[in-house]
Amino acid sequence: MLRLSARHARNFGSALAGLCLAAALPLAAQAQTTLERIKQRGQLICGTSQGVAGFSLPDAQGQWRGFDTDLCRALAAAIFNDQEKAKYISLASKDRLTVLQSGEIDVLSRTTTWTLGRDAGFGLNFTAINYFDGQGFLVRKSTGVKDIKALNGASICVAQGTTTELNLADYFRNHGMKYEVIAYAGLDETIQAYEAGRCDAYTTDLSQLAANRMKLKAPAEHDLLPEMISKEPLGPWVRQGDDAWFDIVRWTVYAMLNAEEFGITQANVDEMVKSNNPEIKRLLGSEGKFGESLGLSNDWVVRIVKAVGNYGESFDRHLGAKSPLNLPRGMNRLWTQGGLQYAPPVR
């Protein structure tokens, strides 16, 4: 049996470690970032809903439109200078997180609440709040129900795989109320069940209730109850392990908010590039190299605003005064206007 001296053993161990490192280097070199994969593929793959008016819904030509899909268009514009280089995959609530985990999509932009359990337990990261929401209830006017406490003993329709189920259980238990859950796998099945009278009320986020009421045969015969029973901060999600991609998605939300705060719109963005305001110059890339620090061009925010507008323009077009939903900005007003939307500065 060959015996090595201590010195020879150390040398042998060092050589073996070097060989292992050398073998690992080609594998490390082959690893691609999310942004590199997107560029190589030539398009962004975005996870979206099964169809929620105002947030993500195919139009008459089959093109996905909405507040959530504007985020995907903004990302495509920032990366490719072409908002159409985004592919949309429709996902049920119960499948959305696992599909993101698997790598089938690059970003999930689909009315998905930020919670500790999701942020810490799924290998995913929430990026930024683009919509502050809360859970509510939809009921038929004919029931005479005017507040949530009148739903004691009611049957309630809910979509599976959502935080809605837990909020429902928490609220009714906390208030000593009884109820029966009628759960369905998909959004359309849940709405159809409610309309067919299989339950007394339908619950989800208030913004979605307003959108889904439009799908009913007689929307005017259904009321949104005034109370909210939860906090539902919504926004896009990415996988853990790629901080650079996390930053791109997060700062795309912030770019649109900052653009609104500075009054930068689709109509005036080319003129605003000439501004002498140092904050605007940094945001629009005429000063500094903040785009390059994200792996993008320095005019990335100009590209975004030209494609989808600022945050307020996107909100008004899909959810607010210029949309069929006509939802109030409420908490989603800018912090300068009494709302909660507040974006960090570009500097």
Side-chain angles (χ1 to χ4, degrees):
M1 181 176 177
L2 178 65
R3 296 181 181 276
L4 298 176
S5 67
R7 179 171 61 83
H8 287 148
R10 285 194 300 272
N11 290 342
F12 178 76
S14 298
L16 182 60
L19 287 171
C20 292
L21 178 61
L25 284 174
L27 294 176
Q30 292 171 15
Q32 281 186 309
T33 66
T34 305
L35 180 60
E36 287 170 342
R37 286 196 299 274
I38 292 168
K39 287 181 175 180
Q40 186 179 67
R41 187 194 303 133
Q43 68 177 179
L44 170 80
I45 301 178
C46 181
T48 190
S49 74
Q50 293 178 301
V52 178
F55 286 90
S56 48
L57 187 70
D59 63 17
Q61 289 73 44
Q63 299 295 312
W64 282 91
R65 305 291 178 189
F67 184 72
D68 281 340
T69 49
D70 266 5
L71 184 277
C72 303
R73 291 178 176 277
L75 286 167
I79 297 166
F80 298 110
N81 200 22
D82 185 350
Q83 63 171 305
E84 300 302 329
K85 288 192 174 181
K87 176 183 177 181
Y88 301 94
I89 296 181
S90 177
L91 299 170
S93 296
K94 63 184 181 64
D95 301 323
R96 55 190 162 170
L97 299 179
T98 54
V99 171
L100 179 59
Q101 285 172 318
S102 71
E104 295 175 59
I105 59 176
D106 302 310
V107 60
L108 177 67
S109 185
R110 184 208 178 282
T111 55
T112 301
T113 303
W114 184 15
T115 69
L116 173 60
R118 287 174 175 171
D119 214 13
F122 287 84
L124 305 175
N125 278 329
F126 183 86
T127 56
I129 299 171
N130 69 349
Y131 193 90
F132 290 92
D133 209 347
Q135 185 173 329
F137 293 82
L138 185 67
V139 298
R140 297 171 192 80
K141 286 185 177 179
S142 60
T143 64
V145 171
K146 298 297 181 184
D147 57 48
I148 297 174
K149 290 186 178 178
L151 292 175
N152 189 20
S155 57
I156 300 174
C157 283
V158 62
Q160 293 175 347
T162 63
T163 54
T164 305
E165 293 178 276
L166 177 61
N167 295 337
L168 184 64
D170 286 348
Y171 182 88
F172 275 72
R173 183 175 64 180
N174 190 44
H175 288 83
M177 296 165 60
K178 295 181 179 181
Y179 70 104
E180 178 187 3
V181 171
I182 311 293
Y184 294 89
L187 174 65
D188 287 340
E189 298 98 310
T190 310
I191 298 168
Q192 290 164 10
Y194 166 74
E195 185 159 42
R198 298 193 189 107
C199 51
D200 302 311
Y202 166 40
T203 185
T204 187
D205 298 347
L206 278 171
S207 60
Q208 289 194 57
L209 288 177
N212 294 337
R213 179 167 58 174
M214 295 172 60
K215 296 182 177 182
L216 302 177
K217 293 176 182 177
E221 295 178 7
H222 303 265
D223 278 338
L224 288 171
L225 298 184
E227 306 108 315
M228 288 195 300
I229 66 168
S230 71
K231 295 182 290 185
E232 305 296 330
L234 310 177
W237 291 75
V238 295
R239 283 181 298 282
Q240 289 180 1
D242 190 338
D243 290 347
W245 179 239
F246 172 91
D247 286 342
I248 289 170
V249 176
R250 176 171 60 176
W251 279 95
T252 294
V253 175
Y254 292 155
M256 293 175 67
L257 284 165
N258 276 319
E260 182 183 11
E261 185 173 339
F262 287 120
I264 303 166
T265 68
Q266 279 183 308
N268 71 15
V269 64
D270 285 329
E271 285 301 312
M272 294 296 276
V273 170
K274 304 171 189 175
S275 171
N276 291 321
N277 183 324
E279 291 182 285
I280 293 176
K281 289 170 74 72
R282 288 192 294 267
L283 178 64
L284 298 183
S286 56
E287 183 175 293
K289 295 184 177 181
F290 296 99
E292 289 182 21
S293 69
L294 291 170
L296 304 171
S297 65
N298 287 322
D299 69 342
W300 66 291
V301 179
V302 175
R303 294 179 174 189
I304 288 171
V305 176
K306 282 187 175 182
V308 300
N310 63 38
Y311 177 90
E313 288 179 296
S314 178
F315 188 103
D316 286 346
R317 181 166 62 248
H318 298 298
L319 304 173
K322 296 180 181 179
S323 78
L325 293 181
N326 195 23
L327 291 172
R329 278 285 290 265
M331 293 182 287
N332 293 292
R333 294 191 301 269
L334 295 178
W335 68 286
T336 54
Q337 300 167 1
L340 299 178
Q341 288 292 2
Y342 180 104
V346 173
R347 64 169 181 257

